[in-house]
Amino acid sequence: MVRGLRARRRRTGEADPLAGRAAVEALLDRPLRAGAEPAAVARLAALLGEAARRAGRAGESPAVEERAAEVSALARALVVRVVEEPVSVRISGWPPGFGAAARARLLGRPPGELERVAPAEAARLVAALDGLALGGGRLRVEVALPPDAVLPPLSRRDRAEAGRRRRAPPWLPHLDEQGRLSLTPRPIARRQAAWLGAGRVLDPFCGCGGNAVAFARAGARVIAFERDPARAALARANFRAMGVADRVELRVGDGVARLPALLRRWPDAAVFVDPPWPPGATRWAELAPPGLEAALAPATAVMLKLPRALDPRTLPGGLERWRLRYEFGAAGPGEDAGLGRVVKMITALRRGVA
Ligand SMILES: C[S@@+](CC[C@H](N)C(=O)[O-])C[C@H]1O[C@@H](n2cnc3c(N)ncnc32)[C@H](O)[C@@H]1O
């Protein structure tokens, strides 16, 4: 076939992109166009076989040239090429409160600069962000490609990075499995404490005490509840180990049931709410234990730690009652670290009585 195409080029002067072994091999390595007809694929295979047979028998001849040109045309119609020129990327589905700074942080570039993106970078954006559940919706990454082109596959480095388990060592010494999984990463716990401010903080879902430690270290006096006695013992050990035992009072029991009495006694206390996250929860009602919303109503400051997929429009009183912050952190198990930093959770804060 190659000989046939070369002969045709010599005769007609018409260059054919397949007139060389390397070009044919490159073409055969390319993916088939989506929707390529099975019958056309079979025809291509038959033509290739026949062209090769004839070329072997007859050497350079018009029949081989003709057949080779036919193969070439069909092959080009069936296969797609990997795009090499910069492409334009469009990302939609940004959730409420995910402003320009957060977008730039997630993308690793200003969001306005998506007009001319290198193909490998576009492939990384698609792999890392397309379909990501964020703030009650899903991000959608669309790439404008020429009709016959596809994005390059992810580089080996990016694929390895995507699957890598980057588990930051836990920052508290005493943890059970549940406590380790739900421990707020230290930089985020510190930011939350700085945002909520010193004073009195009620923490009705203490766990092993990550946030309680951060609040105490930021100068707050903390009253915490944990209903699991074994986990409460771990939290106490953490308060001692982190030097905050004198600033945190931990009680074993139902923190939701005790909130109304505590708020009557300390009406200015801030409440930090970190209930267990049921898998796949996207609405506040799926997260809040019975009675919590009513118990929070009289509080003058409430901070919620929420899964990143949660829709903030479902928060009590609606979006306008809350200030939101999307918290970034290092990628966790199974998360794509291709873009370096990922959104770990949402912090919502309201001040003033509901
Ligand atoms: C997500 S964890 C808290 C993690 C903590 N903020 C940290 O950074 O270490 C939630 C904890 O609340 C506890 N819990 C759930 N419902 C409770 C309730 N009604 N009263 C007290 N504790 C509760 C669970 O046992 C769990 O340990």
Side-chain angles (χ1 to χ4, degrees), residues 119-121 123-124 127 152-162 338:
E121 178 63 10
R124 254 161 37 90
L154 276 190
S155 71
R156 193 184 300 207
R157 197 183 131 263
D158 285 339
R159 278 202 309 276
E161 187 86 336

Side-chain angles (χ1 to χ4, degrees), residues 149-341:
V150 292
L151 285 175
L154 276 190
S155 71
R156 193 184 300 207
R157 197 183 131 263
D158 285 339
R159 278 202 309 276
E161 187 86 336
R164 188 173 302 160
R165 290 179 161 256
R166 267 208 221 154
R167 206 171 268 189
W171 61 281
L172 290 183
H174 305 284
L175 297 165
D176 58 3
E177 179 63 7
Q178 188 60 42
R180 192 180 58 72
L181 288 173
S182 61
L183 176 67
T184 305
R186 174 152 50 181
I188 298 179
R190 280 185 180 155
R191 283 201 294 274
Q192 290 168 328
W195 198 16
L196 195 56
R200 193 172 296 274
V201 175
L202 310 178
D203 180 0
F205 304 94
C206 174
C208 289
N211 286 99
V213 167
F215 290 130
R217 286 199 151 177
R221 297 207 70 86
V222 184
I223 301 178
F225 281 82
E226 172 53 54
R227 67 178 173 195
D228 181 314
R231 201 164 302 136
L234 292 169
R236 280 207 181 90
N238 283 324
F239 300 148
R240 282 194 296 274
M242 304 301 282
V244 296
D246 60 331
R247 306 193 63 78
V248 185
E249 183 187 330
L250 175 63
R251 305 178 191 174
V252 178
D254 183 344
V256 179
R258 298 283 296 124
L259 260 187
L262 291 171
L263 283 169
R264 277 196 295 278
R265 176 144 183 224
W266 290 291
D268 294 332
V271 187
F272 176 75
V273 178
D274 181 13
W277 296 346
T282 58
R283 304 181 63 77
W284 167 251
E286 298 166 52
L287 208 70
L292 178 63
E293 203 167 317
L296 290 176
T300 55
V302 176
M303 179 176 275
L304 312 176
K305 175 183 147 188
L306 305 166
R308 70 177 178 210
L310 192 115
D311 187 344
R313 287 164 293 217
T314 67
L315 293 179
L319 196 53
E320 17 340 309
R321 291 291 295 121
W322 299 88
R323 287 178 61 204
L324 304 178
R325 210 163 51 190
Y326 289 81
E327 305 284 0
F328 285 76
E335 287 180 318
D336 192 321
L339 295 171
R341 312 281 286 174

